């Protein structure tokens, strides 16, 4: 449980845009450090993917993904589109799992 739930009506709104979202991921890591949780969160695209680590309290998970997986052909590429009918194959890239065990 977060140490500081912000007041009702306060929201965190996150952008999409691929790698640009990793700046926001660093800010969310700071929120985790301080125990800050927003009562309402809106996110699109990369922001939606990044906010999952914040909600689940997994500090540093987005950094691991950026450093280890984003450049991998197993994660994103035309080869995946041709052979797997999807640009993204996160399951094959070996992404760290999101912790879904909430207390």
């Amino acid at each position: 449980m977060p140490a500081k739930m912000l007041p009702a009506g306060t929201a965190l709104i996150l952008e999409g845009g691929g790698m640009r979202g990793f700046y926001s991921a660093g800010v969310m890591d700071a929120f985790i450090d301080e125990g800050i949780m927003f009562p309402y969160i809106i996110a699109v695209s990369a922001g939606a993917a990044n906010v999952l680590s914040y909600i689940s309290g997994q500090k540093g998970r987005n950094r691991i993904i950026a450093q280890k997986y984003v450049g991998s052909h197993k994660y994103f590429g035309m080869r995946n589109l041709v052979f797997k009918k999807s640009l993204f194959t996160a399951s094959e890239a070996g992404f760290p799992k999101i912790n879904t065990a909430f207390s």
Side-chain angles (χ1 to χ4, degrees):
M1 196 63 166
K4 303 172 194 169
M5 177 64 77
L6 295 177
T10 305
L12 176 63
I13 302 171
L14 299 161
E15 77 286 11
M19 295 301 288
R20 180 177 32 183
F22 288 111
Y23 172 80
S24 298
V27 173
M28 288 182 279
D29 281 352
F31 290 153
I32 291 171
D33 287 343
E34 296 299 320
I36 296 171
M37 181 57 72
F38 290 80
Y40 192 69
I41 299 172
I42 302 168
V44 297
S45 193
N50 291 337
V51 80
L52 292 175
S53 297
Y54 166 65
I55 292 170
S56 63
Q58 291 183 301
K59 180 181 174 190
R61 182 177 179 275
N62 291 318
R63 174 184 247 180
I64 292 168
I65 291 170
Q67 290 176 332
K68 188 171 181 181
Y69 300 103
V70 171
S72 170
H73 70 280
K74 291 181 179 179
Y75 169 67
F76 177 84
M78 292 304 292
R79 180 178 173 81
N80 294 333
L81 182 61
V82 171
F83 292 107
K84 303 193 186 291
K85 308 295 186 240
S86 174
L87 282 172
F88 296 93
T89 55
S91 60
E92 289 184 22
F95 271 30
K97 303 294 184 207
I98 293 175
N99 180 5
T100 57
F102 296 103
S103 53

